[in-house]
Amino acid sequence: MKNNIRKLTFTAMLTALAIIIPIVFGPFLKIQIPPFSATLASHVPMFLAMLIAPEVAVVVGVGSAIGFLLTAPAVIAARAFTHTFVGLAGALMIRKGVSFKKVIVFTAPIHAILEALIVIPFGFTATKALYVVGIGTVAHHFVDGIITIILVGALERALRIKLTAISSEAK
């Protein structure tokens, strides 16, 4: 029971953060290199959710899509929706014992491919989707991955807990 309440609390907080980041921070953390755009730190809730559980990562990914749907064109919200699948893949890897840093590396190409594919129905050519969105997503993924690694380290030291242990408890 205690773990379910803890998981629900983390899910709610990270989903709220995934919604709030594009709304509150989007105006000054957004980088635009048309047709690509990125909001710094928007992947941080997804990465943190990976450490908790696959179902948490899925909910947070949907929250990310909602946040961007409220603030950006549909194509950007669709790209944010891919966080659902990237987060799920990462959380499953963590459950299998893959280190968090390796998960960030292994999910980068998944993230890039999904975001490149999702923009094609919105009129992007395959070339622009692959080179601009795909490569931009990989860069953004790693920047936010580094931010998350620093944040996880700080939280682990401050709270004196191992965040990856949360995922292990949920098995």
Side-chain angles (χ1 to χ4, degrees), residues 17-75:
L17 193 57
I19 294 169
I20 289 170
I21 286 173
I23 294 171
V24 176
F25 301 112
F28 59 90
L29 290 180
K30 183 180 275 185
I31 296 169
Q32 284 202 274
I33 305 166
F36 179 76
S37 70
T39 302
L40 290 177
S42 63
H43 299 135
V44 171
M46 172 191 73
F47 285 129
L48 292 172
M50 289 177 185
L51 292 170
I52 300 167
E55 59 273 19
V56 175
V58 168
V59 172
V60 171
V62 172
S64 181
I66 291 168
F68 280 98
L69 189 60
L70 294 171
T71 62
V75 66

Side-chain angles (χ1 to χ4, degrees), residues 70-92:
L70 294 171
T71 62
V75 66
I76 295 174
R79 286 179 43 217
F81 185 67
T82 67
H83 299 170
T84 305
F85 306 101
V86 176
L88 176 61
L92 291 172

